[in-house]
Amino acid sequence: MIKRKKIISTILSVIMVGGVISGCSNKDIEKTTTKKEEVKNLDFTFDVNPENFEVTVNSNNKTEQVSMPQEKREVTNLKKSENKVSWTYPKENLDVSIEKDNNHLDVDIKSNNKKENSFTWPSVSGESYTLPLQEGKFIPSNDKYWKEFLNDQIYNVLESFSMQFFSVNKSDYALTYIIKNKYNNEIKFDTKNDINFSFKHEYPSINKNREYGFEIYVTNNNVVDIAKTYKNYVVQKGEFKTLEEKAKENKNIEKLYGAPQIYFWEKSVITENDIKWQNLKASISPELENWIKELLTTKVEDGKEAAKVFDDIKKQDYIDKYQKNQIVSAFNSILQLKEFYNQSIFKNTDSKIDGLVKKGVGNLNKVELVQLNKMLLKSELKDSTINVNEWSKHNTLDLIDEMKKSGMDNAWIGFDDIEAGYVSPEFVKKAEDYGYLVAPYDSYHSIHKPGEEKWSTAKFEDKSLYENATVENKKGEKYEGFQGTGRKLNPTLSLPSVKDRVSKVMESGYGFNSWFIDCDATGEIYDDYSKNHITTQEQDLNARLERMAYIRDEKNMVIGSEGGNDFASTTVAFAHGLETPAFSWIDPDMNKNKDSEYYVGRYYSKTGGVPEIFAKQVPVKEKYKKVFLDSEYSIPLFRLVYNDSVITSYHWLWGTFKIQDEVNNRMMREILYNIPPMYHIDRNEWDKYKTQIKEHNDVWSEFNKKAIKKEMTDFKLLSDDKLVQMSKFGDDLKVVANFSDKEFKYENDNIKPHSLIIYDKNEKTIYQP
């Protein structure tokens, strides 16, 4: 995302490790009631050549490589028994152990070298791969699109994989590798011939854990057995928690059931419809005009253009559309400034204004400040605006009424900022009265130099953090913040700032019941080599989970984050980014070339509502469609494991309506995969899409409320071209979707092109977006 959100919990145990505090919430480590599932993992024998570390397995008289051979090494301390082989590589000072443990191979690779070093194993090759890239991908090893996309790519596994495993599909069965140590791993792809890749683990000098390895299973060659094998591993470790279990701790989580994910952008304090334009010029005194222009040129970014408009309209007997937009934008900017109150300008005050002024403008919270400034402006503009209590009502309170009347019973509504970006507290309250979740956007990932902050979440009250609490690499260089601005804040040193910021937001008059934190569930974590706060990746990640759990538990918030990778599955209830990730950065035609048809748009709105980058509908190049969107490669891998545990949707840059010619396919997949649609809403966007949203929500929401409480139990490709797919939830809820251009016969039903059927016990719902 571009900026983002928050979290944290009651700490059961606190341990001092390497100079930083690490711990976890007791709510996160409670044992799940989820039972392990029946998976027919295949029996096998194995063989290993310690000199080149080639490992093979044989199942049903079919032998396959677990890892391709490496260069020969000196081997010492070789020990063999019926089910176990162990040895030492003396030059690398590595101990290796491979043991058949019940239904899997248990591999451990331990470094006895305290210096910085690394080791690469396994190197794998298969006919295809089942990888937890985002929601999940099936990748044929000879596929031209994936060969081009993955060529020489190096992936940080914790960040790039939504779950900690990968599966190599051989001719007769699959090998599923579950990663036991999720930190400091990367995968390098080689696509010169067919796709293969190697797995590398780094042993950082600051980390006492010098071991990595895998549990390797031989499974049937289908996505369900692969996914359920991994799920059993997670359940066995006590790291699976259902939404129903989470809802027992915070009943508001149930408001996510059947809830579209909506970013709300109608943030104006005053709108064009609130101004009586024929009276405006006469009501603005020279003193007020000069004060407004001074504030615009000195306190408002890009305010000079709006200031010039006040001069231009004096020469005209009309105010055109562009000028109205500029004036409204100017009013909205200055109405949020503490500097707006000027005793020499505003003399026609009443008791309400005087009461707020007496408190001290600098002591007012954001709600009080905006209310004061609205009354101050009204005191001068008089009859050139409607009643101040009605400002922006049509675009906010009336709009939320319309959403509710459309049949939208549940919704998650998020804003894009932590301060100054919200609409009125009355809007938040009304949304919550309607049963919706409402959340600000928060982030503790980047920190900017004090006095030079480019966005609000990168600004911290503790000015010492920029120099004393930011992350260094092993060369002593500071990691840059998002978009190359500022630095990365060490999460283990962030909690006081988290507590301070969240408290101030909650004290400002907004009754939020949800919170969104950017980056904390993406896996973008660091080893910090700063001498004063050495931190391992594990400690970094735990601190992110702790701050999310703090907000969740201490403030009773329904927590979500960007990404949704499964290390956060017991902490968060929802996440954005797993279904369609942020990928516009990989091609200048999408992010820089404004004349390109693929340019996604600016972070700017002419109307002050949804920015162009979210509202502008664009096509996507064929090669990106294949990799990120195509039903031929997409599989609900994450849903097969976590359907009833974590709700995941798109990255906010790629909402439901963003991609031309893909809207219907994505709406169908929202049902097939049981994922929430994502909308960016202001008055214009709501009026544009409300019929489409209502019709889709009538079907999707009812289905989701049932499916979200069940595990996804099955997924099948029903046609040779893979464009007809079936998903199953529990025992009696099923979807068959036809993404093709041809009618498809399924049992006794003919499924029309680009439509689906929901089978709910004995009932059928036919749906074509």
Side-chain angles (χ1 to χ4, degrees), residues 286-499:
E287 293 80 10
L288 178 60
E289 179 188 338
N290 290 334
W291 180 234
I292 290 173
K293 289 192 292 186
E294 181 178 339
L295 290 173
L296 289 172
T297 53
T298 60
K299 299 295 181 181
V300 176
E301 187 176 357
D302 298 327
K304 292 181 180 179
E305 188 174 357
K308 184 177 180 296
V309 168
F310 285 91
D311 291 325
D312 294 340
I313 63 174
K314 289 189 290 188
K315 308 167 190 174
Q316 305 168 182
D317 57 3
Y318 64 92
I319 302 176
D320 65 29
K321 180 70 174 177
Y322 166 79
Q323 292 168 332
K324 289 179 180 179
N325 286 339
Q326 287 293 316
I327 291 170
V328 170
S329 177
F331 284 161
N332 277 297
S333 296
I334 63 176
L335 286 171
Q336 298 186 50
L337 296 176
K338 290 183 178 180
E339 295 86 355
F340 185 60
Y341 174 66
N342 184 328
Q343 188 174 6
S344 65
I345 302 294
F346 301 106
K347 300 174 182 177
N348 302 314
T349 60
D350 58 20
S351 59
K352 291 182 179 179
I353 293 175
D354 294 340
L356 288 170
V357 170
K358 191 174 182 180
K359 289 180 67 173
V361 175
N363 297 323
L364 301 179
N365 63 40
K366 184 62 64 175
V367 175
E368 293 171 325
L369 176 65
V370 171
Q371 185 60 29
L372 169 63
N373 289 345
K374 287 166 63 176
M375 292 189 294
L376 289 171
L377 185 62
K378 176 66 174 176
S379 71
E380 288 295 307
L381 297 186
K382 297 183 174 62
D383 292 337
S384 62
T385 76
I386 64 174
N387 188 302
V388 70
N389 294 327
E390 297 292 312
W391 288 5
S392 197
K393 182 175 179 290
H394 177 66
N395 290 12
T396 56
L397 298 180
D398 290 352
L399 200 160
I400 203 78
D401 287 341
E402 292 178 32
M403 289 168 60
K404 183 66 175 179
K405 290 175 183 176
S406 76
M408 191 178 290
D409 294 328
N410 288 348
W412 178 88
I413 298 175
F415 300 108
D416 73 318
D417 206 347
I418 196 64
E419 65 174 28
Y422 321 132
V423 293
S424 65
E426 292 80 13
F427 173 88
V428 174
K429 184 179 185 307
K430 175 168 274 196
E432 292 190 358
D433 288 345
Y434 280 152
Y436 299 159
L437 293 168
V438 191
Y441 157 88
D442 198 2
S443 178
Y444 302 92
H445 197 57
S446 293
I447 180 172
H448 293 176
K449 187 175 182 180
E452 300 178 10
E453 296 90 353
K454 289 192 175 181
W455 54 78
S456 61
T457 58
K459 181 178 182 179
F460 292 83
E461 293 295 322
D462 184 351
K463 306 304 180 188
S464 69
L465 294 176
Y466 188 75
E467 295 297 337
N468 300 331
T470 47
V471 182
E472 289 183 10
N473 63 21
K474 64 186 71 175
K475 297 178 181 179
E477 301 165 335
K478 295 289 187 182
Y479 282 101
E480 291 183 336
F482 178 73
Q483 292 186 336
T485 303
R487 298 172 176 174
K488 295 283 173 37
L489 178 64
N490 185 314
T492 67
L493 303 173
S494 69
L495 189 53
S497 296
V498 174
K499 292 180 177 180

Side-chain angles (χ1 to χ4, degrees), residues 589 593-600 616-619 660:
D589 281 345
N593 300 339
K594 296 182 179 179
D595 294 330
S596 169
E597 64 175 319
Y598 304 107
Y599 179 62
V600 295
K616 180 187 176 188
Q617 201 171 68
V618 295
Q660 284 180 11

Side-chain angles (χ1 to χ4, degrees), residues 41-48 53-58 64-67 82-85 87 97-108 121 175-180 213-218 229 233:
N41 296 128
L42 306 182
D43 194 20
F44 63 92
T45 59
F46 78 98
D47 193 18
V48 57
F53 213 161
E54 181 185 21
V55 179
T56 59
V57 294
N58 183 289
E64 297 286 1
Q65 283 182 328
V66 172
S67 181
E82 183 179 357
N83 289 319
K84 183 175 181 179
V85 182
W87 68 91
S97 171
I98 300 181
E99 180 178 11
K100 185 181 180 185
D101 183 358
N102 192 12
N103 61 348
H104 67 274
L105 272 186
D106 201 333
V107 181
D108 284 301
W121 191 92
L175 298 174
T176 298
Y177 303 67
I178 297 177
I179 303 162
K180 295 196 291 185
F214 304 87
E215 289 189 8
I216 303 172
Y217 294 80
V218 181
T229 295
Y233 174 81

Side-chain angles (χ1 to χ4, degrees), residues 581-597:
F583 65 89
S584 58
W585 59 272
I586 64 180
D587 190 327
D589 281 345
M590 287 190 280
N591 64 64
K592 290 182 180 178
N593 300 339
K594 296 182 179 179
D595 294 330
S596 169
E597 64 175 319

